[in-house]
Amino acid sequence: MESNIEFTLNVHSTPVCTGTLDLQRIVEELRREFNELKAVEMDALRQEVAELKSRVSALEAAREREAEEGGERGAMAAREGLAEEEGERTVEEARVEGSLPDRPFTDLDDFLQFERSLETDAALQNVIRTLGTASTAPSSKEWVANSWHLVLSDDVGRLCSWTGIRGKQCVRDLRITLAMRRAFVRKFGHEEEFVEKTQAFFRCAQDRAKKKAQYAARQNQIRTLGTRITAQSTKEWVNTSWQLVLSDEEDEFEEKTKAFFRSAQDRAKKQAQYAARQNQRLTKATIKESERKKPALKKGYCRQSLEL
């Protein structure tokens, strides 16, 4: 096969120029571009494989450390059992002593039970003193967030708000809020700032709880990839990993799609209610405007009658 092809360019049947196509040079350039693209893709794949391998190595190292610490698990289990028993008594102890719980409440009912334990002035003063020393945050924003996290988790915080809108628990008039307010004023001296920072804390609780859940899901996915895949080669391991990830994404898409159509009726109802309120406001404004113009029309009519 000849690598050079002679050609003639004709315009209106008149030869204009002649030349030679070097097919071998064109093929070499195409091959070089293909190899460069393939090298870039392989580098990206190698980087992903290296990252996954490092995560697997970290999991294996963690398992080895757990195996080495097996002798201490009996004592740790005993301590954990004691801690759980103490955790169950946390609400009752707080009710008696008026102190902060050992760990943040993850249930709204437990939090409200703790709130009822602060009815006495002695319990309230005890909590104020504890809050004054429990958090060493330098800024007011960090102090408010740390203090509330001593009492409740974000799962409980997303069920609360400053004024109790949308059926949430109102925290503005709670005794624990009063204790935090007084402790805040002693430390920073600005009561308005406490209200502002507390409102922001509960306003963002939903986002914080969502991010924590997403982080826990990612960590669980990493652990799943390290334990469920038993591939022998790196290529098989990567392919199996991506199949698991994509199947999880398909399940998530299907779940969210079902939730979207389940809530379609509620969204349509809310939109209709909003449109009705807007129409009612517009009607009231129109009636008010027409009533405002009536005296002027009557006055003009009477003036015309007098002139006649």
Side-chain angles (χ1 to χ4, degrees), residues 300-308:
Y301 176 78
C302 294
R303 185 176 298 171
Q304 290 179 358
S305 299
L306 291 174
E307 290 178 354
L308 294 173

Side-chain angles (χ1 to χ4, degrees), residues 23-82:
L23 293 181
Q24 185 175 0
R25 181 176 59 82
I26 295 174
V27 171
E28 290 296 332
E29 290 180 356
L30 292 175
R31 183 181 290 112
R32 185 175 64 256
E33 292 179 358
F34 175 79
N35 291 334
E36 290 177 356
L37 180 60
K38 187 177 180 181
V40 172
E41 294 178 350
M42 289 301 297
D43 290 340
L45 183 60
R46 289 192 188 96
Q47 185 177 359
E48 292 180 358
V49 171
E51 184 179 355
L52 291 173
K53 282 184 176 180
S54 64
R55 293 178 179 177
V56 172
S57 301
L59 289 173
E60 291 178 352
R63 290 179 183 175
E64 293 177 359
R65 287 194 299 270
E66 290 179 359
E68 293 175 357
E69 297 172 357
E72 300 178 0
R73 288 187 177 179
M76 290 178 63
R79 289 194 297 269
E80 288 178 357
L82 181 60

